[in-house]
Amino acid sequence: MSTADERSATPPDDATVGGPVNGKGETGKGETRKGKRGKSGAGAETGAAAARRLRPPGQKSVGWALVQAARLHRGRIGDRLASLNLFAGQEQVVQVLAAAGTMTMGDLAATLRVRPPTASKTISRLAALGFVERRAEAGDGRIVRVRLTETGLAKAEAIERIWDEVEAELLDGFDGKERRRLRKLLRKAARNLADASGVAGQETEADAEIEAEDDEADAAGLNGSALRAL
C-alpha cells in the first residue's frame, strides 16, 4: 500500500465515535449536546431536592408567625397612611392622643410601650407637620404635655377608618370568639416582652374595660354552650 493510501485509510487523531467530523475538525454535536443535557438535568434534580428539604427558619415558632403577620399588617397600614403624609407607627401616637386628649410625654411612652426618647422623637416630627402641640405644665416647666391640633384630630378620624379597613382584612374568617382570644393572647405576649425589656406599659381604663368585656363575652359563650348541652 502506498503512503497516500495509508493516510486515507487511517482515521484522523481528533475523530470520535460519536459521529462524522465536520469541515472544521469538530466532532458531531449530537454526542456533545446529549452530554450537556444529562448534566444540567441532574443539576436541576439536585436543586429541586435541596429546595424541598429547606424550611423557613422558625417554621413552628410563634414569634416567626407573629413577625410575618405584623410585617404584612404594617405594610398595608403604611400604604394607606402615605395619603395622610404619615408613616406606619406615627398613627398610633395620633390615635392615643385622640382618645386621651392631653398626655405627658411619660404617660404617652408608657402607653405605647416605648422608651421616652422614642416617643419624644415621634412627637417632634408630628409637631413639625402641625399635627400635635406641646405645652409646659403650669408651675413645672419640666413636665411637657402634648395634644392634637385641629389638623391632628382630623387625621385621627381618617386613621380610624384606615385601621378598620385593615382590621377587617386581618381578621377575615375569624368569628367573635377567635378575635377575642387572639387579642387577649397578643396582649399577654406584649406584656411579657415589655416586662423583659424594661418598657412595661401602662394599663389604661380602656384596656381594663376591653379585658372585662372579653371575659364577660367568653363566660357568656361558655354558659350558653353548657345550657345547650343539657
Side-chain angles (χ1 to χ4, degrees):
M1 181 181 294
S2 66
T3 303
D5 293 334
E6 290 176 356
R7 285 199 301 268
S8 63
T10 303
D13 292 338
D14 58 359
T16 61
V17 179
V21 179
N22 60 22
K24 296 181 180 181
E26 297 176 350
T27 61
K29 296 183 179 179
E31 181 70 19
T32 304
R33 287 178 180 171
K34 182 178 180 181
K36 289 183 179 180
R37 282 197 301 269
K39 184 177 181 180
S40 62
E45 290 176 1
T46 302
R52 286 194 298 271
R53 290 195 300 270
L54 293 177
R55 294 291 184 273
Q59 185 180 27
K60 296 183 179 180
S61 166
V62 173
W64 174 267
L66 179 61
V67 167
Q68 297 297 308
R71 182 182 294 117
L72 292 168
H73 181 272
R74 186 179 179 88
R76 295 293 289 171
I77 291 288
D79 291 343
R80 289 164 169 77
L81 289 177
S83 63
L84 302 180
N85 200 25
L86 288 169
F87 294 102
Q90 293 177 330
E91 88 284 1
Q92 294 183 40
V93 176
V94 176
Q95 289 173 302
V96 168
L97 291 176
T102 302
M103 300 184 75
T104 65
M105 291 299 301
D107 288 343
L108 178 62
T111 301
L112 295 171
R113 289 192 172 96
V114 298
R115 302 187 185 280
T118 302
S120 180
K121 184 181 296 184
T122 302
I123 287 296
S124 295
R125 292 173 178 170
L126 293 175
L129 294 171
F131 297 165
V132 302
E133 59 182 9
R134 292 172 288 193
R135 291 184 180 179
E137 180 81 359
D140 191 346
R142 296 172 300 177
I143 301 177
V144 177
R145 292 187 174 275
V146 292
R147 68 178 183 181
L148 294 178
T149 62
E150 291 298 325
T151 302
L153 288 170
K155 297 292 183 181
E157 295 178 359
I159 289 171
E160 185 174 2
R161 290 192 294 270
I162 289 173
W163 267 76
D164 287 344
E165 293 172 0
V166 178
E167 186 91 349
E169 295 175 350
L170 174 69
L171 300 177
D172 183 34
F174 286 63
D175 61 28
K177 183 178 180 180
E178 290 173 328
R179 295 184 182 209
R180 291 191 300 273
R181 182 64 174 165
L182 178 61
R183 181 168 56 199
K184 182 179 293 186
L185 291 174
L186 288 176
R187 285 176 179 274
K188 184 176 182 179
R191 284 194 294 267
N192 289 343
L193 290 177
D195 291 340
S197 59
V199 290
Q202 174 176 302
E203 296 298 329
T204 64
E205 292 182 3
D207 291 329
E209 290 177 1
I210 292 174
E211 293 283 354
E213 290 174 0
D214 287 347
D215 290 340
E216 290 177 4
D218 290 339
L222 289 174
N223 292 335
S225 298
L227 290 173
R228 287 193 296 272
L230 293 176

